mmCIF file of all heavy atoms in Angstrom:
data_model
loop_
_atom_site.group_PDB
_atom_site.id
_atom_site.type_symbol
_atom_site.label_atom_id
_atom_site.label_comp_id
_atom_site.label_asym_id
_atom_site.label_seq_id
_atom_site.Cartn_x
_atom_site.Cartn_y
_atom_site.Cartn_z
ATOM 1 N N LEU A 15 88.431 112.439 91.474
ATOM 2 C CA LEU A 15 89.087 112.891 92.693
ATOM 3 C C LEU A 15 90.302 112.041 93.033
ATOM 4 O O LEU A 15 91.373 112.558 93.353
ATOM 5 C CB LEU A 15 88.093 112.878 93.860
ATOM 6 C CG LEU A 15 86.892 113.821 93.731
ATOM 7 C CD1 LEU A 15 85.928 113.623 94.888
ATOM 8 C CD2 LEU A 15 87.348 115.263 93.664
ATOM 9 N N SER A 18 93.335 112.105 90.507
ATOM 10 C CA SER A 18 94.079 113.366 90.547
ATOM 11 C C SER A 18 95.240 113.305 91.522
ATOM 12 O O SER A 18 96.162 114.116 91.456
ATOM 13 C CB SER A 18 93.142 114.530 90.915
ATOM 14 O OG SER A 18 92.685 114.406 92.247
ATOM 15 N N VAL A 19 95.219 112.342 92.450
ATOM 16 C CA VAL A 19 96.339 112.151 93.379
ATOM 17 C C VAL A 19 96.976 110.779 93.171
ATOM 18 O O VAL A 19 97.643 110.242 94.048
ATOM 19 C CB VAL A 19 95.896 112.327 94.847
ATOM 20 C CG1 VAL A 19 95.521 113.763 95.112
ATOM 21 C CG2 VAL A 19 94.742 111.402 95.199
ATOM 22 N N ALA A 109 90.714 106.779 105.307
ATOM 23 C CA ALA A 109 90.754 107.478 104.024
ATOM 24 C C ALA A 109 90.229 108.900 104.171
ATOM 25 O O ALA A 109 90.777 109.849 103.603
ATOM 26 C CB ALA A 109 89.943 106.720 102.980
ATOM 27 N N SER A 110 89.160 109.049 104.940
ATOM 28 C CA SER A 110 88.589 110.367 105.176
ATOM 29 C C SER A 110 89.595 111.274 105.880
ATOM 30 O O SER A 110 89.811 112.425 105.487
ATOM 31 C CB SER A 110 87.326 110.235 106.019
ATOM 32 O OG SER A 110 86.826 111.501 106.375
ATOM 33 N N TRP A 111 90.209 110.745 106.920
ATOM 34 C CA TRP A 111 91.205 111.514 107.666
ATOM 35 C C TRP A 111 92.370 111.903 106.771
ATOM 36 O O TRP A 111 92.853 113.028 106.803
ATOM 37 C CB TRP A 111 91.701 110.678 108.845
ATOM 38 C CG TRP A 111 92.891 111.291 109.531
ATOM 39 C CD1 TRP A 111 92.896 112.296 110.459
ATOM 40 C CD2 TRP A 111 94.269 110.928 109.328
ATOM 41 N NE1 TRP A 111 94.185 112.587 110.833
ATOM 42 C CE2 TRP A 111 95.041 111.764 110.165
ATOM 43 C CE3 TRP A 111 94.909 109.981 108.528
ATOM 44 C CZ2 TRP A 111 96.428 111.664 110.217
ATOM 45 C CZ3 TRP A 111 96.294 109.892 108.581
ATOM 46 C CH2 TRP A 111 97.024 110.726 109.422
ATOM 47 N N LYS A 112 92.806 110.959 105.931
ATOM 48 C CA LYS A 112 93.931 111.219 105.043
ATOM 49 C C LYS A 112 93.607 112.326 104.052
ATOM 50 O O LYS A 112 94.408 113.217 103.792
ATOM 51 C CB LYS A 112 94.304 109.924 104.322
ATOM 52 C CG LYS A 112 95.451 110.059 103.328
ATOM 53 C CD LYS A 112 94.926 110.155 101.918
ATOM 54 C CE LYS A 112 96.064 110.279 100.912
ATOM 55 N NZ LYS A 112 95.557 110.467 99.527
ATOM 56 N N LEU A 113 92.398 112.306 103.488
ATOM 57 C CA LEU A 113 91.997 113.313 102.517
ATOM 58 C C LEU A 113 91.897 114.698 103.142
ATOM 59 O O LEU A 113 92.135 115.711 102.498
ATOM 60 C CB LEU A 113 90.659 112.925 101.888
ATOM 61 C CG LEU A 113 90.710 111.739 100.914
ATOM 62 C CD1 LEU A 113 89.307 111.255 100.593
ATOM 63 C CD2 LEU A 113 91.431 112.134 99.635
ATOM 64 N N LEU A 114 91.547 114.733 104.421
ATOM 65 C CA LEU A 114 91.414 116.018 105.106
ATOM 66 C C LEU A 114 92.759 116.596 105.538
ATOM 67 O O LEU A 114 92.929 117.815 105.584
ATOM 68 C CB LEU A 114 90.521 115.872 106.342
ATOM 69 C CG LEU A 114 89.012 115.776 106.098
ATOM 70 C CD1 LEU A 114 88.293 115.472 107.398
ATOM 71 C CD2 LEU A 114 88.486 117.072 105.499
ATOM 72 N N THR A 115 93.709 115.713 105.855
ATOM 73 C CA THR A 115 94.939 116.190 106.479
ATOM 74 C C THR A 115 96.160 116.216 105.568
ATOM 75 O O THR A 115 97.132 116.893 105.873
ATOM 76 C CB THR A 115 95.284 115.324 107.705
ATOM 77 O OG1 THR A 115 95.438 113.948 107.296
ATOM 78 C CG2 THR A 115 94.183 115.416 108.748
ATOM 79 N N THR A 116 96.124 115.463 104.438
ATOM 80 C CA THR A 116 97.270 115.448 103.547
ATOM 81 C C THR A 116 97.473 116.819 102.917
ATOM 82 O O THR A 116 96.520 117.451 102.481
ATOM 83 C CB THR A 116 97.096 114.399 102.432
ATOM 84 O OG1 THR A 116 96.997 113.110 103.035
ATOM 85 C CG2 THR A 116 98.278 114.407 101.473
ATOM 86 N N LYS A 117 98.712 117.254 102.846
ATOM 87 C CA LYS A 117 99.018 118.554 102.256
ATOM 88 C C LYS A 117 98.774 118.500 100.760
ATOM 89 O O LYS A 117 98.574 117.450 100.164
ATOM 90 C CB LYS A 117 100.475 118.922 102.549
ATOM 91 C CG LYS A 117 100.752 119.139 104.033
ATOM 92 C CD LYS A 117 102.203 119.490 104.241
ATOM 93 C CE LYS A 117 102.511 119.709 105.720
ATOM 94 N NZ LYS A 117 103.930 120.038 105.938
ATOM 95 N N ARG A 118 98.841 119.655 100.132
ATOM 96 C CA ARG A 118 98.628 119.742 98.682
ATOM 97 C C ARG A 118 99.513 118.753 97.953
ATOM 98 O O ARG A 118 100.695 118.654 98.208
ATOM 99 C CB ARG A 118 98.940 121.159 98.192
ATOM 100 C CG ARG A 118 97.907 122.185 98.587
ATOM 101 C CD ARG A 118 98.368 123.566 98.195
ATOM 102 N NE ARG A 118 98.707 123.630 96.781
ATOM 103 C CZ ARG A 118 98.139 124.485 95.933
ATOM 104 N NH1 ARG A 118 97.205 125.301 96.349
ATOM 105 N NH2 ARG A 118 98.498 124.514 94.677
ATOM 106 N N VAL A 119 98.915 118.013 97.019
ATOM 107 C CA VAL A 119 99.667 116.995 96.292
ATOM 108 C C VAL A 119 100.607 117.609 95.255
ATOM 109 O O VAL A 119 101.425 116.916 94.679
ATOM 110 C CB VAL A 119 98.707 116.034 95.569
ATOM 111 C CG1 VAL A 119 97.825 115.335 96.571
ATOM 112 C CG2 VAL A 119 97.840 116.770 94.546
ATOM 113 N N ASP A 120 100.510 118.892 95.038
ATOM 114 C CA ASP A 120 101.342 119.513 94.010
ATOM 115 C C ASP A 120 102.538 120.258 94.594
ATOM 116 O O ASP A 120 103.188 121.013 93.897
ATOM 117 C CB ASP A 120 100.505 120.494 93.176
ATOM 118 C CG ASP A 120 99.797 121.532 94.043
ATOM 119 O OD1 ASP A 120 99.714 121.346 95.267
ATOM 120 O OD2 ASP A 120 99.316 122.536 93.478
ATOM 121 N N ILE A 220 94.137 116.684 85.443
ATOM 122 C CA ILE A 220 94.067 117.820 86.368
ATOM 123 C C ILE A 220 95.164 117.715 87.422
ATOM 124 O O ILE A 220 95.796 118.702 87.797
ATOM 125 C CB ILE A 220 92.681 117.875 87.048
ATOM 126 C CG1 ILE A 220 91.600 118.224 86.024
ATOM 127 C CG2 ILE A 220 92.687 118.881 88.190
ATOM 128 C CD1 ILE A 220 90.188 118.171 86.588
ATOM 129 N N VAL A 224 98.736 122.473 88.500
ATOM 130 C CA VAL A 224 98.555 123.100 89.808
ATOM 131 C C VAL A 224 97.098 122.963 90.217
ATOM 132 O O VAL A 224 96.196 123.344 89.489
ATOM 133 C CB VAL A 224 98.947 124.593 89.780
ATOM 134 C CG1 VAL A 224 98.663 125.250 91.121
ATOM 135 C CG2 VAL A 224 100.412 124.740 89.401
ATOM 136 N N LEU A 225 96.858 122.382 91.385
ATOM 137 C CA LEU A 225 95.491 122.106 91.804
ATOM 138 C C LEU A 225 95.370 122.128 93.312
ATOM 139 O O LEU A 225 96.178 121.531 94.020
ATOM 140 C CB LEU A 225 95.062 120.735 91.270
ATOM 141 C CG LEU A 225 93.657 120.254 91.622
ATOM 142 C CD1 LEU A 225 92.623 121.135 90.911
ATOM 143 C CD2 LEU A 225 93.484 118.801 91.208
ATOM 144 N N SER A 226 94.367 122.837 93.804
ATOM 145 C CA SER A 226 94.031 122.809 95.216
ATOM 146 C C SER A 226 92.741 122.024 95.380
ATOM 147 O O SER A 226 91.730 122.310 94.737
ATOM 148 C CB SER A 226 93.836 124.241 95.751
ATOM 149 O OG SER A 226 93.374 124.198 97.087
ATOM 150 N N GLN A 227 92.765 121.012 96.246
ATOM 151 C CA GLN A 227 91.599 120.134 96.386
ATOM 152 C C GLN A 227 91.005 120.149 97.795
ATOM 153 O O GLN A 227 90.336 119.204 98.193
ATOM 154 C CB GLN A 227 91.987 118.698 96.021
ATOM 155 C CG GLN A 227 92.459 118.536 94.593
ATOM 156 C CD GLN A 227 92.535 117.082 94.212
ATOM 157 O OE1 GLN A 227 91.538 116.432 93.986
ATOM 158 N NE2 GLN A 227 93.742 116.575 94.153
ATOM 159 N N LYS A 228 91.234 121.205 98.512
ATOM 160 C CA LYS A 228 90.769 121.246 99.893
ATOM 161 C C LYS A 228 89.258 121.031 99.998
ATOM 162 O O LYS A 228 88.786 120.220 100.792
ATOM 163 C CB LYS A 228 91.135 122.594 100.533
ATOM 164 C CG LYS A 228 90.706 122.703 101.986
ATOM 165 C CD LYS A 228 91.145 124.027 102.590
ATOM 166 C CE LYS A 228 90.709 124.126 104.056
ATOM 167 N NZ LYS A 228 91.118 125.414 104.657
ATOM 168 N N THR A 229 88.494 121.716 99.158
ATOM 169 C CA THR A 229 87.033 121.608 99.236
ATOM 170 C C THR A 229 86.537 120.233 98.836
ATOM 171 O O THR A 229 85.700 119.641 99.531
ATOM 172 C CB THR A 229 86.369 122.665 98.336
ATOM 173 O OG1 THR A 229 86.786 123.967 98.747
ATOM 174 C CG2 THR A 229 84.854 122.565 98.442
ATOM 175 N N VAL A 230 87.079 119.688 97.724
ATOM 176 C CA VAL A 230 86.603 118.385 97.279
ATOM 177 C C VAL A 230 87.038 117.282 98.235
ATOM 178 O O VAL A 230 86.348 116.278 98.393
ATOM 179 C CB VAL A 230 87.077 118.072 95.846
ATOM 180 C CG1 VAL A 230 86.440 119.012 94.860
ATOM 181 C CG2 VAL A 230 88.592 118.113 95.720
ATOM 182 N N ARG A 231 88.179 117.469 98.896
ATOM 183 C CA ARG A 231 88.596 116.491 99.900
ATOM 184 C C ARG A 231 87.592 116.455 101.052
ATOM 185 O O ARG A 231 87.242 115.393 101.571
ATOM 186 C CB ARG A 231 89.981 116.842 100.455
ATOM 187 C CG ARG A 231 91.135 116.488 99.569
ATOM 188 C CD ARG A 231 92.421 116.410 100.391
ATOM 189 N NE ARG A 231 93.547 116.863 99.597
ATOM 190 C CZ ARG A 231 94.145 118.026 99.778
ATOM 191 N NH1 ARG A 231 93.712 118.848 100.702
ATOM 192 N NH2 ARG A 231 95.159 118.365 99.036
ATOM 193 N N ILE A 232 87.122 117.628 101.458
ATOM 194 C CA ILE A 232 86.151 117.699 102.549
ATOM 195 C C ILE A 232 84.842 117.023 102.155
ATOM 196 O O ILE A 232 84.259 116.259 102.926
ATOM 197 C CB ILE A 232 85.892 119.166 102.948
ATOM 198 C CG1 ILE A 232 87.165 119.771 103.569
ATOM 199 C CG2 ILE A 232 84.722 119.265 103.916
ATOM 200 C CD1 ILE A 232 87.070 121.257 103.858
ATOM 201 N N LEU A 233 84.387 117.277 100.912
ATOM 202 C CA LEU A 233 83.151 116.661 100.441
ATOM 203 C C LEU A 233 83.283 115.148 100.337
ATOM 204 O O LEU A 233 82.407 114.398 100.779
ATOM 205 C CB LEU A 233 82.763 117.247 99.073
ATOM 206 C CG LEU A 233 82.361 118.726 99.059
ATOM 207 C CD1 LEU A 233 82.136 119.194 97.629
ATOM 208 C CD2 LEU A 233 81.100 118.939 99.901
ATOM 209 N N LEU A 234 84.387 114.691 99.765
ATOM 210 C CA LEU A 234 84.607 113.261 99.638
ATOM 211 C C LEU A 234 84.773 112.611 101.007
ATOM 212 O O LEU A 234 84.285 111.507 101.259
ATOM 213 C CB LEU A 234 85.841 112.990 98.777
ATOM 214 C CG LEU A 234 86.184 111.520 98.533
ATOM 215 C CD1 LEU A 234 85.002 110.774 97.929
ATOM 216 C CD2 LEU A 234 87.405 111.413 97.640
ATOM 217 N N SER A 235 85.442 113.307 101.902
ATOM 218 C CA SER A 235 85.614 112.799 103.260
ATOM 219 C C SER A 235 84.262 112.592 103.933
ATOM 220 O O SER A 235 84.054 111.598 104.638
ATOM 221 C CB SER A 235 86.458 113.782 104.079
ATOM 222 O OG SER A 235 86.578 113.352 105.413
ATOM 223 N N SER A 236 83.330 113.489 103.687
ATOM 224 C CA SER A 236 81.988 113.356 104.269
ATOM 225 C C SER A 236 81.286 112.102 103.764
ATOM 226 O O SER A 236 80.641 111.380 104.528
ATOM 227 C CB SER A 236 81.144 114.589 103.926
ATOM 228 O OG SER A 236 81.732 115.765 104.442
ATOM 229 N N VAL A 237 81.444 111.813 102.459
ATOM 230 C CA VAL A 237 80.843 110.605 101.885
ATOM 231 C C VAL A 237 81.434 109.362 102.535
ATOM 232 O O VAL A 237 80.717 108.412 102.878
ATOM 233 C CB VAL A 237 81.060 110.573 100.361
ATOM 234 C CG1 VAL A 237 80.598 109.230 99.777
ATOM 235 C CG2 VAL A 237 80.314 111.714 99.696
ATOM 236 N N LEU A 238 82.743 109.353 102.721
ATOM 237 C CA LEU A 238 83.409 108.202 103.315
ATOM 238 C C LEU A 238 82.960 107.988 104.765
ATOM 239 O O LEU A 238 82.752 106.854 105.199
ATOM 240 C CB LEU A 238 84.925 108.387 103.260
ATOM 241 C CG LEU A 238 85.559 108.459 101.864
ATOM 242 C CD1 LEU A 238 87.042 108.750 101.964
ATOM 243 C CD2 LEU A 238 85.309 107.183 101.088
#
Side-chain angles (χ1 to χ4, degrees):
L15 297 175
S18 67
V19 292
S110 174
W111 170 81
K112 179 260 180 184
L113 288 168
L114 284 173
T115 59
T116 298
K117 295 180 180 179
R118 287 174 54 123
V119 299
D120 55 345
I220 292 175
V224 176
L225 179 68
S226 174
Q227 299 192 75
K228 181 177 180 181
T229 301
V230 294
R231 282 200 214 106
I232 293 174
L233 293 175
L234 181 55
S235 177
S236 300
V237 173
L238 296 176

